[in-house]
Amino acid sequence: MAHRWGMAVDLDRCTGCEACVTACRAENNIPTVGPDQAAAGRAMHWIRVERYWEGDFPDARLTFRPVLCQQCDAAPCEPVCPTYASHHTEEGLNAQVYNRCIGTRYCANACPYNVRFFNFFNPQWDRPLQLQLNPDVSVREVGVMEKCTFCVQRINAAEIQATADEKPQKDGDLKTACAQSCPATALVFGDLNDPESAVSRLSRSPRGSQLLGDLGTQPKITYLARQSQT
Amino acid sequence: MDRRIFLKVTAVTGTSATLASCGNPEHAIIRFIPEEEHVPGVAEWKPSLCPLCQAGCGVIVRVMEGDAEVVRNGQAGVMRMGLAKKLEGNPAHPISQGKLCGRGQAAIQIAYHPDRITQPLKRTGPRGQGQFQPVTWDAAIAELVAQLDGLVTSNNQRGLAFLKGGGRGQRDDLVSQFLDRFGAPPAVSFDLFNYDVLRRANLLSFGREQLPTFDLARSGYVVSFGADFLGTWNSPVAQHAGYGQMRQGRRGVRGAFVQVEPRMSQTGANADEWVPARPGTEGVLALGLAHVLLSARLRPADAAGRAGALIDGWNAGLTGYTPADVEKQTGVAAARIERMARALVEQPPGVAMIGGAPLAQTNGLFAALAVNALNALLGNVGQPGGVSFMPQIPATVTPRRSSPPERRTLQAVTAAILAADPSPVQVLLVDSTNPVFASPSGWRTREALLKVPFIASFGSFIDETSVLSDLILPDHAFLESWVEGRPESGAAVPVATLAPPALRPLHQTRATPDVLLQVASRLNKPLDFPWQTFDEMLMAAFATLPAPSADTDAWTAAQQQGGWWGAADAAGQTRPGGPAAQAEPAGRTTQAGGTNQGGRPDAAPVRALEAQFDGEPAAYPFHFLPYASHAFLDGSLAHLPWLQELPDAMTTAMWSSWAEINPQTASKLGIAEGDVLEITSTQGSLRTPALLSPGIAPDVIAMPVGQGHETFTRYASGRGQNPIKILASAAEPETGALAWAATRVRVTRIGPPNGDLILFAGEMREHPHEHEHER
Amino acid sequence: MSDADRRLTDDLLRPLLTTSARFWVLVAFLGAIVATGLGTWVYQMYWGFGLTGVRWPIFWAFYVTNFVFWIGISHAGTLISAILRLVNARWRRPVTRCAEAITVFALMIGAMFPIIHLGRPWLFFWLIPYPNQRGIWPNFRSPLVWDFFAITAYLTGSVLFLFLPMIPDLALVRDRTTGWRHRCYGVVSLGWRGTTKQWNRLETAMEIMAIAILPVAVSVHTIVSFDFSMAPVPGWHSTIFGPYFVAGAIFSGIAALIIAMALLRTFLHLEEYLHPVHFQNLGKLLLMMSLLWAYFVFAERLTVWYGNETAEMAVFRATQSGAFAPLYWTMVVCNFVIPFPILALKKTRTIAGCVVASSCVLVGMWLERFLIIVPSLGHKYLPYSWGTYRPRPVEIIITISTFAAMSLLYVLFAKLVPIISVWELKVGAHPAHAAESVEARDDEQALFVARTEP
Amino acid sequence: MSRASRARILRTLVGCTLLLAVAGTSACRPANNRASMASVYTPARETVGEAVNDFFGIRPRVTQPFPFPHSTHVAKKVACTDYCHESVTKGPVAGLPSVKTCMICHESIATDRPLIQQITDLSKRGVDLSWQRVYGYSAQAHVRFNHAPHLRAKVECSTCHGRIDQQTVAERNVDMKMGYCVDCHKAKGASNECLTCHF
């Protein structure tokens, strides 16, 4: 049976520590753009931890919410792409094919979550920082869109491995970089087609909901609400 | 970097681009025969140890083959070698449990940093000008040896001083032995955000001079006094794991958590209740809680035992700490105090923790003792869901001096240097600390160092301290060297992390412990160490540990799994070993530091002290609260671009420094978001952008530490402002620890936004319009 | 051939046959600006799209604004002249060609912007369906691909529509010239000899084109509006966008036409052929469109405000009262407040009045497109990711240079082709029109009278 | 103003416009002709020319640093996967041998040949041969090829690498265009999902 990769985000566990943000950067060769470009709104974070303030002193309250590509089943970014650079795979991933991207940036406009990022310039690494680059992941060049891939390089590797040693993957063997790093285990990644997988069980939680679900994008990421004492 | 330069570098490209793409031969570059074999394209995971904070998380390094530009016998070329690609938590490690914080993961950039010092340097220009010339290792070591021999001949061994960061393990042990054998005073360790006060308090209350370990996974109600335990305090990764469990790990039970602090930290943001108590009154609040428990007979006074006895008026039931009195002092409503106190017993196990700013007050020790007493009263010490002390392995392989070493704070040393002429310190060795940046200007650290005739630094980067040195003997990056650590908190079992080098050195650097051993052997009167190299010492140390299994010994096992640790108990749960559980679980364990073998100093009960603040409230109306930056800690990580571009969790600021101010206060002072402020204390002033935050008390100005480096690599130099500079040099009297939260300031608007504040987020509220309506 | 005809021919062919130094100065000036624009584009391609002010999350801005604007302008000609042709409004005759020329050039310029705005412009041809070894086709679900087809179709149509009625005049020029010019015009006039057969063929062809071009024109701007309304972006996802955009397009198109005519009138001394009447009538059209535009905006805004949907309202506030309010109200003033009175009153509906009104409309309509695109992208669903936009020099230079390009093309066109259809004015030049020619003369004279009376 | 001068002006104008247009198309990828041992790593092309070549799929000729005779070795029954490309059985990459590998055999074999002596000399100096990739992709094709699955699918080495036993230094004798891969994948019923190879 084909996989259907999804994620559950427990907002009651998430502490906004941003370990996931750095993990993603390290795994996926996401460049740092430097202060000038960051100020110009070109900083790239495939996963970001949104923080929202509520109320005022002394009753101020703050909530964190990690936002990454929701890998929607009805993704607005896909139909608008004129070249199929952004398209849906058999396993339900929202693929972004860099070499096919011509940079219309339409997908980024259509994405309600603003999780797509554009290479405004060629990325650069001051030598020898480039020695850290992950050889399993492309280094994107100027003019192409990029976004969270659910660590497709890990998914592919795991699948190749599974076929090689002819045994199915176990739930929890395969983790995205963010889920792997999450110290409070707020991010859980897995196969939604496996009803017993941790992610499936969490996705069925009564606390669960989907980000902007009412837009009909059918995200494959479920957010479990943060509970409060009172 | 202006746009022109930016554009220039944007277009320029390197040879690796060519290597990767179509192969046109690059005759220019020599290729060396690889020194090790790797299967190309296949990742190998090697254990290592995160060096960034005292938590001591065990990590695993993803190593893959790649082409690196290296220098071999004086010739530059390319070599195929194993390269570190990613750091993850070591799943087998009791503290990190397979997880790693963002800072730890960014540590990989230290190894590959473009501004790393690649070979020994000798100062050429005047001090502080940063003019150095490369020298060979032999020359460099010879010079240092000559300096030390000089001290010996002039019979002034005590003229040698060693300045190091906080840290425990064989490396620090080697240093102290080196100094001991040489006849020099013990090393001075300096760390802005140190734990001296807390350790002292735990020594007094529980006889353990050690950081506490919290079993959050099983806690029911947590009250944290300023402890940023989900950010930068104590053992964040381990505490995160516990926290996740506490919230959603147990069926039907969700642990509650209250954060007491005047400025909401990232940890505080996760609390169910945020209690902005007045700065410096945390101890009083703790005793207020205790008073409720006592007066309501919820817990017997004697349950607190010795920890309670340390508090003046404890057995009298803490009269004078009625909720009403406490409300007056702390500004926390009496009813709220009542409620919190009851919750501590009604949602067991209740536990309190204290750290950060409350301990950085002139009455920090009292606050810590008060919280200890509260925990003792709650009877959670050494109990599941409570506070406990991690069993320790003796941090030495050779018998220590009988007498505990005298403690010297950096402040004392600099004072001594500045007082006497010539300087009592003739030769200063500096290792992994940057006091010139991280100490208040009142200490005049820079002037003091300039007065020292000879300074040698082991730093890997030119920072504010190493730029003053005459000789730089660059250390390996942690990934290139043997690493060993003995964490004092974060797990229930004794832990000694150990790992061999994960990669070959990229540059002409040498591991500092090896350098010390070489120096020791080359002195006219060699300090006869039993080992030639650091790994021999480590081997000796691990030989004394019991083998985990019959077919292997501790040493080899440790190298494979990334360390040695006692087994968790049968239940698989890590039960914390409290003071009661000294002997268990595995092997020889004893109390920390060896400074308080057996006995404990009997201390007189302490009376509540009013926190003293520098600066007249009239002239300096605001409390100034510098806090450990989520990304940079005390500033030692400001050179890592990943962390510079990491949006701050609370403010989403990147590449910036800022001052947080309450919106009401701001509107009173006519300050808008991003406006340039001038913050003035009795010690001086600085200018930085304002950031309006509802999560800060109206009488507090908070500012993250970490930016404002003068010289610290291309990424940090000249970026932002350093709040430490304007701190008063107030100290906690008992320990002499810097009271970095005891300064008052005044704030004036200088001008409109100047673009220094770079935010990632657009809006701070999910429904900005509705919020405007409410107000 | 009558004297009137001869004089008329001389007048209208003068610009082609004699060239003043002023012409060369103008061409050089405009050419320089256009060259700068092209250079800037190359510069942008060389260094990267980051030279623009575009940023996360506002990934479309000036270039797409220009795209929509110019495509809008293009609706002047073909649509107008086609309608007028079909309803056989006689006053149209001198107007049609200027109008159709505008269409063609505006389309050419507008069609460039989707390419200019690409991150990797050199790969634009992936929008074109062509068999390839990869076995990949464009994504026909993407509005951008629809754009491609719509625009190519419209461009082809408009070129034909412009060219067909030009043939007899080109032939006329051919006969009046010698040397290489003679040869060139000979080629393009496709051997026109003015036989009855040819005349009939021409008439039929033009009728067909006139009918065919209308639906195309309407569809083009509807499809352009789909670029926005198909995306779930607050402020974009609206059913009114199709007609709204078409109306706006015609609105700005007429404005452009009026200005172009006024300029031609003065520079080429065509006072005798472009009469106040023409401006009067076009002014009325413009007035109607202005009202229509106002109605659409009102309907669109009202529903948003009444619906009070969170995300939509964020955009609403940003434009109505927020950071974009100044631009928004400028737009309203330029598109309605100013043009309406000027065009409503017969007294002010003079040539000058029409030009003033039209200029305002052009500014207003450009702003309208900008305000549709940028505020919406800056205020999508998650406020954390809100952002704002400032243009950078490259965008401004390229934008300006396109206006220069428009003028340059127009100047050259007026130089090479009689900008006013000679044969249509002197109807009756062939038997088929004998009947009509009388009336034609009549109203020609009527006009003379109208003009000479104080 | 004379007719000639007008014509000149016109020509210059047209010229400039054309020139810019051409430049525009030729600067296909952001690149830079200051080729130097740069201090930054970027995926940018070194020269405009390189960018143009890449755009049109023109590959610079690969010249190997050493005339390695594949034919001889294959004839001598040295299997590709014995030492030189042994990684192909272990991981995604076949790997290029270092001089060390040569010396495994040539410590003793054919030590009298001048070429072998060159190799021996190199290994003594600790210098390696920098082999050029024959089947490398343009970086901007973002292709990730993994040998293992292809070996498992019983794809003959010769399918892509040709009759190596008839070559001295390896020649690129299969034109690795995407079509080539796609056709084979179609034929073998392997996935043609973009993400199979491009990520």
Side-chain angles (χ1 to χ4, degrees), chain A residues 12 15 18 36 65 126 131, chain B residues 1 240 248 266 715 766:
Chain A
D12 210 11
T15 67
E18 293 185 308
D36 299 12
R65 180 206 288 150
D126 295 331
L131 293 183
Chain B
M1 173 160 82
H240 258 104
Q248 290 296 333
Q266 177 230 336
Y715 302 111
E766 192 151 23

Side-chain angles (χ1 to χ4, degrees), chain B residues 640-720:
Chain B
L640 303 184
W642 283 356
L643 296 178
Q644 283 280 6
E645 200 155 304
L646 182 72
D648 173 69
M650 303 294 285
T651 63
T652 80
M654 304 176 284
W655 298 95
S656 312
S657 64
W658 63 90
E660 286 162 41
I661 181 169
N662 179 292
Q664 286 92 327
T665 318
S667 59
K668 277 201 209 78
L669 300 173
I671 295 167
E673 178 99 346
D675 285 358
V676 180
L677 304 182
E678 183 165 70
I679 302 176
T680 314
S681 77
T682 58
Q683 304 299 307
S685 74
L686 59 81
R687 290 181 176 194
T688 192
L691 198 144
L692 276 54
S693 159
I696 185 167
D699 63 341
V700 178
I701 302 290
M703 196 173 161
V705 175
Q707 296 282 33
H709 283 277
E710 287 152 26
T711 53
F712 191 35
T713 79
R714 66 189 73 180
Y715 302 111
S717 300
R719 178 157 298 287

Side-chain angles (χ1 to χ4, degrees), chain C residues 197-369:
Chain C
K197 197 153 160 243
Q198 286 178 326
W199 276 119
N200 296 340
R201 291 249 173 91
L202 182 62
E203 284 297 335
T204 338
M206 272 154 59
E207 289 296 331
I208 295 169
M209 281 313 298
I211 296 163
I213 204 76
L214 283 174
V216 179
V218 172
S219 72
V220 166
H221 225 68
T222 315
I223 286 171
V224 168
S225 80
F226 286 174
D227 288 350
F228 306 100
S229 53
M230 291 292 164
V233 174
W236 283 12
H237 198 48
S238 155
T239 53
I240 205 176
F241 265 33
Y244 182 22
F245 272 51
V246 174
I250 300 170
F251 189 29
S252 55
I254 297 169
L257 176 57
I258 289 177
I259 291 172
M261 279 167 57
L263 292 173
L264 291 170
R265 191 169 188 274
T266 33
F267 285 114
L268 302 183
H269 308 294
L270 301 174
E271 292 81 358
E272 288 193 26
Y273 308 95
L274 296 172
H275 304 295
V277 174
H278 299 120
F279 291 87
Q280 285 274 343
N281 298 348
L282 284 172
K284 286 184 199 143
L285 265 179
L286 193 64
L287 173 61
M288 191 190 83
M289 295 317 296
S290 174
L291 288 164
L292 194 58
W293 178 86
Y295 161 72
F296 271 120
V297 172
F298 172 74
E300 196 256 347
R301 295 273 110 181
L302 177 70
T303 44
V304 169
W305 172 77
Y306 199 90
N308 194 30
E309 197 274 313
T310 318
E312 296 274 346
M313 279 311 281
V315 181
F316 184 85
R317 277 186 214 97
T319 48
Q320 237 68 14
S321 54
F324 293 92
L327 291 177
Y328 179 84
W329 294 112
T330 321
M331 169 187 80
V332 173
V333 169
C334 289
N335 281 351
F336 187 72
V337 178
I338 296 177
F340 179 73
I342 294 182
L343 300 169
L345 305 173
K346 198 162 192 330
K347 215 164 26 351
T348 50
R349 209 190 307 127
T350 59
I351 294 181
C354 287
V355 169
V356 171
S358 305
S359 319
C360 291
V361 170
L362 285 187
V363 174
M365 285 311 293
W366 192 93
L367 285 175
E368 188 220 39
R369 275 55 194 274

